[in-house]
Amino acid sequence: MADYKPLQFHVPEPTGRPGDEPDFTDVDIPSAGSAPRPDIDVDPNDIKDLARTMIRVMDKEGNAVGPWAEDIPEDVLMHGLKSMVRTRAFDERMMTLQRQGKTSFYMKCTGEEAIAIAFQQALSKGDMHFPTYRQQGILLAQDYPVVDMINQILSNAKDPLKGRQLPILYSVRDYGFFTVSGNLGTQFVQAVGWAMASAIKGDTKIAAAWIGDGSTAESDFHAALVNASVYKPPVVLNVVNNQWAISSFQGIAGGNSATFAERAHGYGIPSLRVDGNDYLAVYAVSRWAIERARRGHGPTLIEWVTYRVAPHSTSDDPSKYRPKEESSAWPLGDPILRLKNHMIKHGLWSEERHAQAETEFDEEVRAATKEAESHGTMGSGASPKEMFECVFKEMPPHLREQRQKMGV
Amino acid sequence: MADYKPLQFHVPEPTGRPGDEPDFTDVDIPSAGSAPRPDIDVDPNDIKDLARTMIRVMDKEGNAVGPWAEDIPEDVLMHGLKSMVRTRAFDERMMTLQRQGKTSFYMKCTGEEAIAIAFQQALSKGDMHFPTYRQQGILLAQDYPVVDMINQILSNAKDPLKGRQLPILYSVRDYGFFTVSGNLGTQFVQAVGWAMASAIKGDTKIAAAWIGDGSTAESDFHAALVNASVYKPPVVLNVVNNQWAISSFQGIAGGNSATFAERAHGYGIPSLRVDGNDYLAVYAVSRWAIERARRGHGPTLIEWVTYRVAPHSTSDDPSKYRPKEESSAWPLGDPILRLKNHMIKHGLWSEERHAQAETEFDEEVRAATKEAESHGTMGSGASPKEMFECVFKEMPPHLREQRQKMGV
Amino acid sequence: MPQMNMIEAIRDAMDVKMAEDDNVVVFGEDVGYFGGVFRCTHGLQEKYGANRVFDSPINESGIVGTAIGMAAYGLRPCVEIQFADYIYPAYDQIVSEAARMRYRSSAEFTSPLVVRTPCGGGIFGGQTHSQSPEALFTHISGVKTVIVSNPYDAKGMLISAIEDDDPVIFFEPKRLYNGPFDGHHDRPAKNWSAHPRGDVPEGHYTVPIGKADVVSEGSDVTILTYGTMVYVAETVKEETGIDAEIIDLRSLLPLDIDTIVASVKKTGRCMVLHEATLTSGFGAELAAQVQERCFYNLEVPVERVTGWDTPYPHAQEWDYFPGPARVGAALKEMMEAV
Amino acid sequence: MPQMNMIEAIRDAMDVKMAEDDNVVVFGEDVGYFGGVFRCTHGLQEKYGANRVFDSPINESGIVGTAIGMAAYGLRPCVEIQFADYIYPAYDQIVSEAARMRYRSSAEFTSPLVVRTPCGGGIFGGQTHSQSPEALFTHISGVKTVIVSNPYDAKGMLISAIEDDDPVIFFEPKRLYNGPFDGHHDRPAKNWSAHPRGDVPEGHYTVPIGKADVVSEGSDVTILTYGTMVYVAETVKEETGIDAEIIDLRSLLPLDIDTIVASVKKTGRCMVLHEATLTSGFGAELAAQVQERCFYNLEVPVERVTGWDTPYPHAQEWDYFPGPARVGAALKEMMEAV
Ligand SMILES: Cc1ncc(C[n+]2csc(CCOP(=O)(O)OP(=O)(O)O)c2C)c(N)n1
Ligand SMILES: Cc1ncc(C[n+]2csc(CCOP(=O)(O)OP(=O)(O)O)c2C)c(N)n1
Ligand SMILES: [Mg+2]
Ligand SMILES: [Mg+2]
């Protein structure tokens, strides 16, 4: 075996580290309108190319072009844009709240707003999201009371989750928002199970599963895809590829070897790769996949290509592991700016209204924050009694004894 | 939503159940020689078709045809055929042993002999298999003493594993045979780790991972592929698709939606689908993948298409869940018969020598069985003392105390 | 009353609940067409259709994970993990998800599901077909842990488990499927037809989760046990003549501490007996609680007789198993000590 | 002698071993370029290269599974699970594989690997950043379980763990990373520079796995504890004036039972103190052993003070945490009881 050279170990590296210039030359960006739009009952084998391209609708000038360009009702666009602005205002305010020491923890979705919001707008009442921690847009797009979100974040006396759960891991059943887990990936297969149940019952509800690029490496991603492949339940499997996990880039999840959309091919599940910062594309593709599921054609996986502009969480400092200017160099731009331009171009919006909306939402969130703070911050106001409730439906004797011991 | 029809739940069914005629019309069998043979440094994206076809070398007449036909040395062929015959003789005898109540458990590999044996012949000393329970051919092809295998199966006084482990879950480090786990799938990712270690050390050793069609559903399959995709270690990922898990067919693992070879595509890992009952194809493809790994081009996944002729184990009765004649209707035939015909056709073998080999190996195994039985059967001869050894390298005080308590 | 073995009783429980409640679904590896490697679901797919009884891929995390999703939808999944030794891949879904769903969502979402799984050794199954991992669940807040020892309880408690609004891990000692095995592996096997607990009522009845069963009254010593060991204890009582009060706990969490304390206060001695390994086994919790609650009544320390702290060996199975000889000797020692 | 906090001490242990032994490799989520979310591996990739210190995909089962393969090859992987709450996906690989490798192969293959993981609460991390799952490992034959409480031990025991030929689960109470936290969350934080155990020798030294540390001698009562609770115990001793002998167990398995028994025989009273939930926590094993071995010396039952049997709550963190008030009250009660 003398002629074999020593093997080499291969550890993928991102294109840039702190001090380097951002480098996105690897990110292929096909022109808007270039990707075909198949029928919803298409054979997954016939659209494999859609997992390697990027479905884009909005061109540089803000026009909607190509087969995925839909005639989106004005009120949908308007609500979409406003919800994005509102979400960003919310994120900013919560960040401040955390810096003020009023909550322990927060996570922003800056730059990714279009995905959760447009997807939610394509969904129907009765459907269920199985979100991660970066889909606050789902709640904001439904006008779930902002003050209740903040109450949860503050773990205060009005926290709907009674102080039991970490900030931002909301649970809002009536808004189709499944309780967010702190454990990555687990929700993906649960979504498949929920969708299986809908099919078992002969209902028409669909599930939307959410996962990040980094978390696709978790084993439950596979469990989800295997079950989706076998039982073909009505589920949309959303992978939000925002390029980064915490400090590790998408190559550490295998993203340099194939796209995340391509993962679906080994399971016979159709998949689409989409410009996640293009609101129009997100809305159109979401509708396509949701319709496909609801018409009984089974699961779809969608990779939403985007960029995590914010730090991973308030505990994180991205300047430690990626080029400083990377987020502004991201070639797919800002989803809010892009939709705004599109709407201004089409006479639906203006710079003034935009500025006004920003102020309005900032004020709304400020007011809500103030109200929420009046019920306590950083866990104050939550009752120790609640600690013992909801472990089981009925409190078993040993917990009753412990509660007594504690004197509450 | 009134116009949506109730969703339907989809549970895949095999093409036949007990009482039905076997039906393999779904199994596409391309003609021998039709699949191209790429270079070992091929871009995985350029050979995606090889995951949907079936690489076959031997035609109906027993000729070796096409680009995968190699000039296999006569002694290799001879040893391959003999090892297959020997393995079948071994399996038969062990089955009898179990029926006689001399061991608790056995699993045959009937119909799948070519895979483990030809693969092993393509491997080098120092490489490591991470096998499942159906790769006894690896040991038999290396002339590992049959009597030691039987001692393990009998859990007797000479059992190399001291009675600690279930029959057939061998461990033979010197023969590159990693300790077989009773837990499905776990070895797949361990093999990847072993191969990573080889690359980290700058060695030239490669790992061979083994898994069954049913077990590809396990989460560690994904863990293995993700790590293989990221670090590109020298590992060959073997999926033995013998159509059945226990009572569930390959469709319950997702095999109706895509081939198992295609699973690799989502990870950027090249994959090949091969007629596993064609010794010549198995040998050639194994050599290709092994060489690819050893030259630093990284992992390959191979789906070996075959059929589990035997019951799943001695605890199983396939007549309960599949058509009675299914195994004889299997369109890829018997690997032993096929290689035998090829060799007879090429003047390397004869019916007489074949019959003689069968007798010889039967006698060899009988004699070995007799010898092994002299050291005890069904756990007799194993020492209770051994129960406390090898939990840790050094026995900690609590185990010493327990051993004392037991009085051994 | 019909005679059933434990397999039939378990099957009957699922049958009763499936007939009563459309939301009950049953799945797991080999449980569909074939009816399970231990035949516990035999005939159910034929009766209720593949929509409600089906095979699952070999992915235990997926089995529990999909069940959690279904339970959140409103179904009541009763899933099978083929051997308790294979429950570990599902451990995260059980611990981090099913067990915590109600708490973390403040009861917006719950996990009313049952994980049935055969446990215990004595079938020459080696380290991967013999384990008793119950203590790994009793430490987890939010799941109930049940382990049954006879057909009557098996049916009644499985019905309770399916009706329970919280997740239940339901252990079935496989060595008891066909008869009340007492550890005398060298003697002819008994079957359930000769045992009063083999009489199993038809139709719906429940045995509550959280109540222990005093299977044999006595005044010398209390034996706290469950599963297969119940019969070992009974045999030892008979063989040694020691007047033991034998308590089959049945439900480990919630635990029927009142019954335990009453008995130990009466007898003044307590043995804890299980098949799982000693260290951090459920016996530790029992010993800890008994010494705390009955300290001034105990004549001798609480004694634990259990499997050794080794993996479950294959050939040395009967050396590992806490059989009548070991239990008898320990019991005598306890009685002889001051 | 250099002053180190626990993070530095842990990093230094890896540094020392990596310099000594080419076979030591370090990986896990975010441990490579970035150096770990708690910074424990900071600088190691730069020093030893990405070949030996690298990021892994977010798949805990894969982290341990690949480590097992590497260990079988001859390497000595020291891997990080980012939070102990995320160790469950790796549970099967730890329990069924790493722990059983030596046994099932009769020592042909072994798993000399270390799984480092931050545990415990007190950082307002809610149910998924606060857990103490040590008892889930002490029940598993074939793994060692260690939990350190100070920089000196952290470095010395991590070196021992890396050198150990068997798998070691190495718990690092994250609340102690920066200082000896005593549960008085409303007081200013202390740091390690003021603590004698913050003096950490340079270079190679070991603290053996299997030996407890009597951190404070006393005659009234023995407190068996580990991790963060060591400092709670010390504070309570000071605050109540009760002359407690405080034992930092450090190694839960193997357990230094001799030190424990000697102490309890001397004091006649025993409290077990840990942060994990009560039922089937490691305290149960301790109580069971102490009552068995020191029965005739005990004046009062062994008392367990622990986290409650609930998930670790977010807002109610300090109600859950067994802090000085609860420990003090329990201790006083123990002393007052006959
Ligand atoms: C099982 C588990 N492992 C690790 C973590 C710690 N963790 C939290 S978020 C995160 C990164 C996830 O990255 P990605 O999936 O890309 O999502 P993103 O934050 O980019 O939206 C990690 C490693 C966790 N929460 N759960
Ligand atoms: C984790 C785990 N789950 C379930 C089992 C039980 N089991 C043993 S073999 C088997 C079927 C495996 O089928 P496949 O992977 O196709 O391999 P084959 O037997 O066909 O070679 C099952 C379900 C197990 N051993 N381990
Ligand atoms: Mg990400
Ligand atoms: Mg198979």
Side-chain angles (χ1 to χ4, degrees):
Chain A
M1 240 183 288
D3 94 304
Y4 288 101
K5 285 202 281 276
L7 289 160
Q8 289 192 348
F9 189 53
H10 170 85
V11 179
E13 265 294 306
T15 53
R17 287 294 192 186
D20 297 338
E21 285 301 303
D23 176 2
F24 285 117
T25 43
D26 283 357
V27 183
D28 268 335
I29 305 181
S31 56
S34 61
R37 177 185 180 120
D39 291 336
I40 58 163
D41 59 353
V42 65
D43 181 334
N45 285 313
D46 296 341
I47 56 165
K48 286 196 168 170
D49 285 350
L50 290 179
R52 293 182 71 85
T53 182
M54 207 189 280
I55 298 173
R56 308 178 68 235
V57 169
M58 224 183 291
D59 69 11
K60 284 217 180 76
E61 289 72 43
N63 299 307
V65 298
W68 288 94
E70 290 190 358
D71 204 10
I72 306 179
E74 192 182 317
D75 61 325
V76 170
L77 288 177
M78 200 70 84
H79 187 68
L81 182 66
K82 286 186 181 170
S83 298
M84 291 202 281
V85 175
R86 192 155 166 258
T87 298
R88 197 164 287 181
F90 184 77
D91 276 358
E92 286 310 322
R93 180 58 43 199
M94 294 305 105
M95 204 69 178
T96 308
L97 216 58
Q98 196 272 343
R99 269 194 233 97
Q100 294 170 339
K102 292 180 182 160
T103 180
S104 52
F105 186 74
Y106 192 71
M107 294 173 111
K108 294 162 82 179
C109 65
T110 315
E112 309 174 25
E113 292 91 345
I115 300 165
I117 288 170
F119 191 98
Q120 167 54 38
Q121 290 183 281
L123 215 57
S124 303
K125 184 93 192 147
D127 296 336
M128 184 67 71
H129 291 281
F130 287 73
T132 79
Y133 44 76
R134 231 180 275 284
Q135 278 80 48
Q136 50 266 57
I138 292 169
L139 290 172
L140 287 154
Q142 293 180 82
D143 294 325
Y144 175 70
V146 166
V147 64
D148 286 336
M149 294 175 77
I150 308 175
N151 287 333
Q152 197 280 330
I153 291 168
L154 297 177
S155 270
N156 66 16
K158 296 259 175 170
D159 171 8
L161 304 185
K162 318 275 187 201
R164 296 190 187 108
Q165 181 61 308
L166 207 63
I168 79 168
L169 302 186
Y170 315 104
S171 172
V172 193
R173 188 180 180 105
D174 285 349
Y175 288 68
F177 196 96
F178 189 73
T179 156
V180 182
S181 179
N183 301 68
L184 296 171
T186 47
Q187 75 286 353
F188 221 59
V189 61
Q190 293 163 4
V192 171
W194 196 94
M196 286 166 70
S198 176
I200 287 170
K201 298 303 280 182
D203 293 338
T204 59
K205 295 176 192 163
I206 76 147
W210 295 89
I211 203 166
D213 52 309
S215 307
T216 60
E218 285 288 7
S219 287
D220 279 342
F221 178 78
H222 177 63
L225 266 70
V226 169
N227 280 284
S229 165
V230 171
Y231 304 114
K232 310 209 179 307
V235 62
V236 182
L237 302 159
N238 296 288
V239 176
V240 180
N241 178 3
N242 63 7
Q243 312 303 319
W244 290 91
I246 300 179
S247 73
S248 70
F249 82 119
Q250 47 93 32
I252 294 293
N256 281 4
S257 302
T259 68
F260 294 101
E262 282 179 287
R263 286 274 160 88
H265 290 170
Y267 306 84
I269 295 172
S271 66
L272 310 165
R273 193 158 173 271
V274 183
D275 176 349
N277 289 12
D278 176 345
Y279 175 94
L280 305 181
V282 176
Y283 186 73
V285 173
S286 300
R287 272 172 40 96
W288 186 91
I290 290 165
E291 183 70 6
R292 179 181 155 82
R294 209 175 320 269
R295 293 276 175 214
H297 303 301
T300 304
L301 185 143
I302 308 173
E303 175 184 350
W304 306 106
V305 183
T306 184
Y307 187 85
R308 195 198 78 211
V309 173
H312 174 73
S313 75
T314 46
S315 318
D316 180 45
D317 175 6
S319 74
K320 291 262 165 55
Y321 51 78
R322 65 186 191 188
K324 199 160 184 232
E325 303 299 334
E326 211 184 70
S327 71
S328 37
W330 174 241
L332 296 177
D334 176 346
I336 297 185
L337 271 186
R338 285 172 71 191
L339 182 57
K340 173 185 146 196
N341 289 344
H342 170 80
M343 287 175 65
I344 290 178
K345 171 148 198 156
H346 290 76
L348 303 170
W349 197 242
S350 68
E351 292 288 356
E352 298 68 46
R353 287 176 70 182
H354 197 81
Q356 190 186 329
E358 285 178 336
T359 316
E360 210 170 274
F361 292 128
D362 181 53
E363 277 163 14
E364 180 206 359
V365 177
R366 261 176 212 275
T369 304
K370 216 170 148 189
E371 184 187 336
E373 284 185 42
S374 75
H375 307 303
T377 62
M378 268 295 261
S380 73
S383 153
K385 227 180 176 137
E386 294 293 353
M387 179 169 61
F388 294 97
E389 299 286 341
C390 282
V391 182
F392 295 100
K393 185 173 185 193
E394 273 152 44
M395 197 179 295
H398 69 285
L399 275 174
R400 230 172 306 141
E401 195 183 86
Q402 291 178 27
R403 193 182 55 178
Q404 248 162 27
K405 232 182 198 165
M406 212 190 109
V408 292
Chain B
M1 241 182 289
D3 94 305
Y4 289 102
K5 283 202 282 275
L7 289 159
Q8 288 191 349
F9 189 54
H10 170 84
V11 180
E13 265 295 304
T15 53
R17 286 294 192 185
D20 296 339
E21 285 301 305
D23 176 2
F24 284 118
T25 43
D26 282 359
V27 183
D28 269 334
I29 305 181
S31 55
S34 60
R37 177 184 181 122
D39 290 335
I40 58 163
D41 58 355
V42 66
D43 181 334
N45 285 315
D46 295 341
I47 56 164
K48 285 198 168 168
D49 285 350
L50 289 180
R52 293 182 72 84
T53 182
M54 208 189 279
I55 298 174
R56 308 178 69 235
V57 169
M58 223 184 292
D59 70 10
K60 283 218 179 76
E61 289 72 41
N63 298 305
V65 298
W68 288 94
E70 290 191 356
D71 204 11
I72 306 178
E74 193 182 317
D75 61 325
V76 170
L77 288 177
M78 198 70 83
H79 186 67
L81 182 65
K82 284 186 182 170
S83 298
M84 291 203 281
V85 175
R86 193 154 164 258
T87 298
R88 197 164 289 182
F90 184 77
D91 276 358
E92 285 309 323
R93 179 59 43 200
M94 294 305 104
M95 202 70 179
T96 307
L97 216 60
Q98 195 273 343
R99 269 195 232 98
Q100 293 170 340
K102 291 177 183 162
T103 180
S104 52
F105 185 72
Y106 193 72
M107 294 173 111
K108 296 161 82 179
C109 66
T110 315
E112 308 175 25
E113 292 92 345
I115 301 163
I117 288 169
F119 191 97
Q120 167 54 37
Q121 290 183 281
L123 214 59
S124 303
K125 184 92 192 150
D127 296 336
M128 184 66 73
H129 291 279
F130 287 75
T132 80
Y133 43 75
R134 230 181 276 284
Q135 278 80 48
Q136 51 265 58
I138 292 170
L139 290 173
L140 287 154
Q142 292 180 84
D143 294 326
Y144 175 69
V146 165
V147 64
D148 286 336
M149 294 175 76
I150 308 176
N151 287 333
Q152 197 280 329
I153 290 168
L154 298 177
S155 270
N156 65 19
K158 296 259 174 167
D159 171 9
L161 304 184
K162 318 278 188 200
R164 296 190 188 108
Q165 180 62 306
L166 207 63
I168 77 167
L169 302 186
Y170 316 104
S171 172
V172 192
R173 189 179 179 106
D174 284 348
Y175 288 68
F177 195 95
F178 189 74
T179 157
V180 182
S181 178
N183 300 69
L184 296 172
T186 47
Q187 75 287 351
F188 222 59
V189 62
Q190 292 163 5
V192 171
W194 197 94
M196 286 165 70
S198 176
I200 288 170
K201 297 303 281 183
D203 293 338
T204 59
K205 295 177 192 164
I206 76 147
W210 296 89
I211 203 167
D213 51 310
S215 306
T216 59
E218 285 287 9
S219 287
D220 279 341
F221 178 79
H222 177 64
L225 267 71
V226 169
N227 281 283
S229 165
V230 171
Y231 305 113
K232 311 211 180 306
V235 61
V236 182
L237 302 159
N238 296 288
V239 176
V240 181
N241 178 2
N242 63 7
Q243 312 303 318
W244 290 90
I246 299 181
S247 74
S248 70
F249 81 119
Q250 47 92 35
I252 295 293
N256 282 3
S257 302
T259 68
F260 294 100
E262 283 180 286
R263 286 274 160 89
H265 290 170
Y267 305 85
I269 295 172
S271 66
L272 310 165
R273 193 159 174 270
V274 184
D275 176 349
N277 289 12
D278 176 344
Y279 175 93
L280 306 180
V282 177
Y283 186 72
V285 173
S286 300
R287 273 171 40 97
W288 185 92
I290 291 165
E291 183 69 7
R292 179 180 155 83
R294 209 175 320 268
R295 293 275 174 216
H297 303 301
T300 305
L301 185 143
I302 309 174
E303 176 184 350
W304 306 105
V305 183
T306 184
Y307 187 86
R308 193 198 78 211
V309 173
H312 174 74
S313 76
T314 46
S315 316
D316 180 44
D317 174 7
S319 75
K320 291 263 165 55
Y321 52 78
R322 67 187 189 187
K324 200 163 183 223
E325 303 298 334
E326 211 184 70
S327 72
S328 38
W330 174 243
L332 296 177
D334 176 348
I336 297 187
L337 272 185
R338 285 172 71 191
L339 182 57
K340 172 185 147 195
N341 290 344
H342 171 79
M343 287 175 66
I344 290 177
K345 170 145 198 161
H346 289 75
L348 303 169
W349 197 242
S350 69
E351 290 289 355
E352 297 69 45
R353 287 177 71 183
H354 197 83
Q356 192 187 328
E358 286 179 335
T359 316
E360 214 171 88
F361 292 128
D362 182 52
E363 276 163 14
E364 180 207 0
V365 177
R366 258 176 214 273
T369 304
K370 217 170 146 189
E371 184 188 335
E373 284 185 42
S374 76
H375 307 303
T377 63
M378 267 296 260
S380 72
S383 153
K385 227 179 176 137
E386 294 293 354
M387 179 169 63
F388 294 98
E389 300 286 342
C390 283
V391 181
F392 295 99
K393 185 173 184 194
E394 271 152 46
M395 197 178 294
H398 68 285
L399 275 175
R400 231 173 305 140
E401 194 183 87
Q402 291 179 27
R403 192 181 55 177
Q404 249 162 28
K405 231 183 200 168
M406 211 189 111
V408 292
Chain C
M1 217 181 286
Q3 293 271 335
M4 294 187 196
N5 65 24
M6 225 156 108
I7 293 165
E8 292 159 340
I10 286 162
R11 185 190 305 146
D12 198 39
M14 289 186 270
D15 195 352
V16 165
K17 284 310 302 175
M18 293 196 82
E20 274 180 18
D21 182 354
D22 271 359
N23 289 322
V24 177
V25 293
V26 166
F27 58 101
E29 294 159 20
D30 300 294
V31 312
Y33 183 87
F34 182 59
V37 296
F38 288 105
R39 325 299 293 131
C40 289
T41 57
H42 181 60
L44 294 179
Q45 184 180 74
E46 211 178 341
K47 191 160 173 186
Y48 297 101
N51 246 25
R52 294 181 59 201
V53 183
F54 50 90
D55 285 341
S56 64
I58 304 176
N59 183 311
E60 290 76 14
S61 180
I63 291 172
V64 176
T66 55
I68 289 170
M70 290 179 202
Y73 192 92
L75 302 189
R76 292 195 169 260
C78 177
V79 303
E80 178 177 303
I81 298 292
Q82 201 161 81
F83 284 86
D85 316 65
Y86 307 142
I87 206 166
Y88 307 123
Y91 198 61
D92 186 46
Q93 282 285 350
I94 295 172
V95 171
S96 307
E97 299 294 318
R100 304 289 152 79
M101 201 62 79
R102 180 185 294 279
Y103 198 76
R104 77 175 200 227
S105 73
S106 287
E108 280 205 323
F109 296 94
T110 58
S111 286
L113 57 88
V114 181
V115 180
R116 290 182 39 245
T117 190
C119 69
I123 60 153
F124 227 51
Q127 56 174 291
T128 55
H129 302 87
S130 306
Q131 295 169 46
S132 296
E134 65 274 3
L136 303 173
F137 297 93
T138 54
H139 189 44
I140 304 305
S141 47
V143 279
K144 299 185 177 178
T145 301
V146 164
I147 175 163
V148 290
S149 71
N150 61 71
Y152 180 88
D153 285 354
K155 178 174 170 187
M157 291 188 89
L158 184 51
I159 291 177
S160 291
I162 294 172
E163 292 175 350
D164 201 289
D165 288 324
D166 287 304
V168 179
I169 313 296
F170 193 90
F171 288 105
E172 303 168 0
K174 62 181 89 68
R175 195 53 166 94
L176 297 181
Y177 273 148
N178 291 305
F181 176 70
D182 65 7
H184 282 301
H185 54 94
D186 39 6
R187 298 193 191 157
K190 292 175 210 142
N191 63 40
W192 285 112
S193 63
H195 196 279
R197 291 295 200 158
D199 291 339
V200 176
E202 287 187 65
H204 186 283
Y205 71 91
T206 59
V207 173
I209 294 174
K211 287 274 159 265
D213 184 18
V214 181
V215 294
S216 178
E217 294 197 9
S219 56
D220 286 348
V221 52
T222 299
I223 303 183
L224 303 179
T225 188
Y226 48 86
T228 310
M229 292 303 130
V230 170
Y231 305 98
V232 174
E234 285 184 338
T235 299
V236 169
K237 176 174 181 172
E238 211 180 287
E239 287 172 1
T240 60
I242 294 171
D243 190 28
E245 178 143 306
I246 302 170
I247 302 184
D248 178 358
L249 298 173
R250 302 193 293 200
S251 165
L252 306 190
L253 196 131
L255 183 68
D256 185 356
I257 191 68
D258 293 343
T259 299
I260 294 171
V261 168
S263 175
V264 178
K265 287 202 169 155
K266 180 176 78 177
T267 62
R269 284 177 168 81
C270 179
M271 170 184 279
V272 175
L273 176 58
H274 63 57
E275 195 179 341
T277 50
L278 177 74
T279 300
S280 286
F282 190 65
E285 179 61 31
L286 291 170
Q289 289 210 34
V290 167
Q291 68 84 33
E292 186 195 338
R293 294 166 196 269
C294 310
F295 187 74
Y296 301 100
N297 307 90
L298 284 174
E299 316 255 342
V300 295
V302 182
E303 171 81 13
R304 291 183 286 167
V305 181
T306 71
W308 306 113
D309 279 345
T310 71
Y312 215 114
H314 179 248
Q316 298 88 345
E317 169 153 84
W318 301 117
D319 299 308
Y320 178 92
F321 187 92
R326 245 167 81 203
V327 176
L331 211 54
K332 276 185 214 150
E333 225 178 279
M334 281 181 80
M335 294 313 300
E336 282 155 19
V338 192
Chain D
M1 215 180 288
Q3 293 271 337
M4 295 187 194
N5 66 23
M6 224 155 109
I7 293 165
E8 292 159 340
I10 286 163
R11 185 190 305 146
D12 199 38
M14 289 185 271
D15 195 352
V16 164
K17 284 310 301 175
M18 292 196 82
E20 275 180 17
D21 182 354
D22 271 357
N23 289 320
V24 176
V25 292
V26 165
F27 58 101
E29 295 159 19
D30 300 294
V31 313
Y33 183 87
F34 182 60
V37 296
F38 289 104
R39 323 300 294 130
C40 290
T41 58
H42 181 60
L44 295 178
Q45 184 180 75
E46 210 178 341
K47 190 159 174 189
Y48 297 101
N51 245 26
R52 293 181 60 201
V53 182
F54 51 90
D55 285 340
S56 63
I58 305 176
N59 182 312
E60 290 76 14
S61 181
I63 291 172
V64 176
T66 54
I68 289 170
M70 291 179 202
Y73 192 92
L75 302 189
R76 291 195 170 261
C78 177
V79 304
E80 178 176 303
I81 297 293
Q82 201 161 82
F83 284 86
D85 317 64
Y86 306 142
I87 206 167
Y88 307 123
Y91 199 62
D92 187 46
Q93 283 284 350
I94 295 172
V95 171
S96 306
E97 300 294 318
R100 303 290 150 79
M101 201 62 80
R102 179 185 293 278
Y103 198 76
R104 77 175 200 228
S105 73
S106 287
E108 279 206 322
F109 296 94
T110 59
S111 286
L113 56 89
V114 181
V115 179
R116 289 181 41 244
T117 189
C119 68
I123 61 152
F124 228 49
Q127 55 174 292
T128 55
H129 302 87
S130 306
Q131 295 171 46
S132 297
E134 64 275 3
L136 303 173
F137 296 93
T138 54
H139 188 44
I140 304 305
S141 47
V143 279
K144 299 185 177 177
T145 301
V146 163
I147 175 163
V148 290
S149 71
N150 61 70
Y152 180 88
D153 285 354
K155 179 173 169 187
M157 291 189 89
L158 184 52
I159 291 178
S160 290
I162 294 172
E163 293 176 350
D164 202 290
D165 288 324
D166 287 303
V168 179
I169 314 297
F170 193 90
F171 288 105
E172 303 167 0
K174 63 182 88 70
R175 195 54 165 94
L176 298 181
Y177 274 148
N178 291 307
F181 176 70
D182 64 7
H184 282 301
H185 54 95
D186 38 5
R187 299 195 190 154
K190 291 174 211 144
N191 63 39
W192 284 113
S193 63
H195 196 279
R197 292 297 201 155
D199 290 340
V200 176
E202 286 187 66
H204 185 283
Y205 71 91
T206 59
V207 173
I209 294 174
K211 288 273 159 267
D213 183 18
V214 181
V215 293
S216 177
E217 294 196 12
S219 56
D220 286 349
V221 52
T222 300
I223 302 182
L224 303 179
T225 189
Y226 48 86
T228 310
M229 293 302 130
V230 169
Y231 304 98
V232 175
E234 285 183 339
T235 299
V236 169
K237 177 174 180 172
E238 212 180 286
E239 287 172 2
T240 60
I242 294 171
D243 189 27
E245 178 144 305
I246 302 170
I247 302 183
D248 178 357
L249 297 174
R250 302 192 294 198
S251 165
L252 306 190
L253 197 129
L255 183 68
D256 185 356
I257 191 68
D258 292 344
T259 298
I260 294 170
V261 168
S263 174
V264 178
K265 287 200 168 156
K266 180 176 79 176
T267 63
R269 284 178 168 79
C270 180
M271 170 182 278
V272 175
L273 176 57
H274 62 57
E275 195 178 340
T277 51
L278 177 73
T279 300
S280 287
F282 191 65
E285 178 62 31
L286 291 169
Q289 288 209 35
V290 168
Q291 67 86 32
E292 187 195 336
R293 293 167 196 268
C294 309
F295 187 74
Y296 301 100
N297 307 89
L298 284 173
E299 316 253 343
V300 294
V302 182
E303 171 82 13
R304 292 182 285 168
V305 181
T306 70
W308 305 114
D309 279 345
T310 71
Y312 214 113
H314 179 249
Q316 299 88 347
E317 171 153 83
W318 300 117
D319 300 307
Y320 177 92
F321 187 92
R326 244 166 82 203
V327 176
L331 211 54
K332 278 186 213 149
E333 224 177 279
M334 279 181 81
M335 295 313 300
E336 283 155 18
V338 188

